Amino acid sequence: MANIDQETTLILINETGLLPLFYHADFGIVREVVSASYRGGARAFEFTNRGANAYEVFVQLVDFAKSSLPGMALGIGTVYDAETAQKYIDAGADFVVAPFTNPEVGKVCVRAGVPWLPGTATLTEIFNATQHGAKVVKLFPGEVVGSVFVKAAKGPMPHVKIVVTGGVQPTRQSIEEWFGAGVYGVGMGSNLFPKDVIASENWAWIEQKVSESIALIAAFRAE
């Protein structure tokens, strides 16, 4: 079961505006990456279901977060079907993210009271996702759809909450582009966690980059 309630989880994603996402088969590395992100100010983190032992790593991560990262909403990403969603919810996922909209996954999340962020790329997909229980949708791939889509979508759907993933950079220009278009938050993966940084175990770099990204979001919102 989730450790943080649905509304609080969504608030945590929006408060910082940043949703880091990462996968690695080595729990030790995942622990360090999530910890560095936490120290940098992130209070929601998406562990992606992209490896054979992703479940085992996630279970360990949930236990670690409970004891060492108070107030961290820990979600699972790349969820394709209802069975997988239920498996991770039972393991303690606070939210579920998917690259596309599968209503069956939505049913599982709604029943469990866990936020579901399904992937969308059109107004029809956004509408259908909200009809099936999504309070926040994921726009993916961001670099293909573009920030202009977000701004246009906000015309007929002003209340829709969008977290964009794909192509977002931890730079002032990128942050201002997406938040200026009206996103609820941004997801960042490889741009926050470059392979060379992971290989060199430069956790301080990750902490700083997360902190800088959150500061850029806060500065834009304050203007």
Side-chain angles (χ1 to χ4, degrees), residues 162-173:
I162 297 172
V163 172
V164 60
T165 300
V168 184
Q169 304 281 338
T171 63
R172 182 181 303 277
Q173 180 181 356

Side-chain angles (χ1 to χ4, degrees), residues 7-166:
E7 293 305 318
T8 300
T9 295
L10 295 179
I11 289 170
L12 288 173
I13 293 172
N14 179 245
E15 276 187 343
T16 65
L18 178 66
L19 179 60
L21 53 116
F22 181 73
Y23 168 79
H24 200 283
D26 185 329
F27 169 68
I29 290 176
V30 174
R31 180 188 61 214
E32 295 299 333
V33 167
V34 176
S35 295
S37 299
Y38 184 84
R39 292 193 301 271
R43 289 300 178 266
F45 195 100
E46 175 189 341
F47 179 73
T48 54
N49 176 39
R50 294 183 181 177
N53 67 331
Y55 177 76
E56 289 75 17
V57 173
F58 185 77
V59 169
Q60 294 179 76
L61 187 58
V62 169
D63 287 341
F64 174 72
K66 282 181 183 178
S67 62
S68 304
L69 307 175
M72 171 68 94
L74 192 61
I76 184 68
T78 321
V79 173
Y80 297 156
D81 54 57
E83 180 181 0
T84 303
Q86 189 63 63
K87 179 180 179 180
Y88 278 99
I89 289 171
D90 290 342
D94 292 311
F95 59 96
V96 173
V97 185
F100 49 75
T101 300
N102 179 349
E104 295 305 310
V105 173
K107 287 180 184 178
V108 169
C109 293
V110 169
R111 185 168 61 241
V114 169
W116 170 50
L117 282 70
T120 61
T122 68
L123 286 177
T124 298
E125 290 175 354
I126 291 173
F127 175 77
N128 288 338
T130 59
Q131 290 297 104
H132 286 97
K135 295 185 178 181
V136 177
V137 299
K138 169 180 174 176
L139 182 68
F140 178 80
E143 67 267 47
V144 175
V145 181
S147 59
V148 291
F149 173 83
V150 176
K151 192 171 184 178
K154 284 286 192 172
M157 306 178 79
H159 302 299
V160 67
K161 297 180 175 66
I162 297 172
V163 172
V164 60
T165 300

